[in-house]
Amino acid sequence: MITAAQMRAARALLGIDQRQLAELSGVSLPTIQRMEASEGNVRGVIDTLTKVVEAFDRAGLEIIGDNATSRDGGRGVRLKQAKTPNSGSS
């Protein structure tokens, strides 16, 4: 659904800190901190994850998943899939 790196990047794009995200989402600050400290996909209660994603959405930011297109065509950030050493041209 969302990765820790996406959460940090989304906050940076909005110019908010963890405390502000906690207030916007109705999720506790320690939970936001735990979510952002995790590796890869954020794990947790679906309701909590949904609250965070919805808070970003209300703030005008769309979380784009792997192989997904942007529904509104706005600006965004996406990491490219890492290339393997043998995937380049010869």
Side-chain angles (χ1 to χ4, degrees):
M1 180 180 227
I2 186 173
T3 67
Q6 281 178 306
M7 283 185 66
R8 292 187 299 270
R11 279 193 312 98
L13 285 171
L14 293 174
I16 63 173
D17 61 20
Q18 289 178 328
R19 183 174 307 282
Q20 290 169 304
L21 177 56
E23 292 170 4
L24 290 172
S25 63
V27 173
S28 72
L29 178 58
T31 298
I32 296 294
Q33 292 169 333
R34 178 188 52 78
M35 292 169 81
E36 287 193 5
S38 64
E39 293 287 326
N41 287 332
V42 173
R43 303 203 190 288
V45 178
I46 295 297
D47 184 53
T48 302
L49 296 170
T50 301
K51 285 180 181 180
V52 170
V53 171
E54 288 174 349
F56 285 137
D57 188 59
R58 285 190 306 274
L61 194 137
E62 178 183 3
I63 302 297
I64 303 171
D66 289 341
N67 302 316
T69 57
S70 174
R71 70 174 182 253
D72 293 326
R75 293 182 184 199
V77 176
R78 174 181 292 178
L79 289 173
K80 291 184 180 181
Q81 191 170 22
K83 293 183 180 180
T84 58
N86 295 328
S87 66
S89 59
S90 303

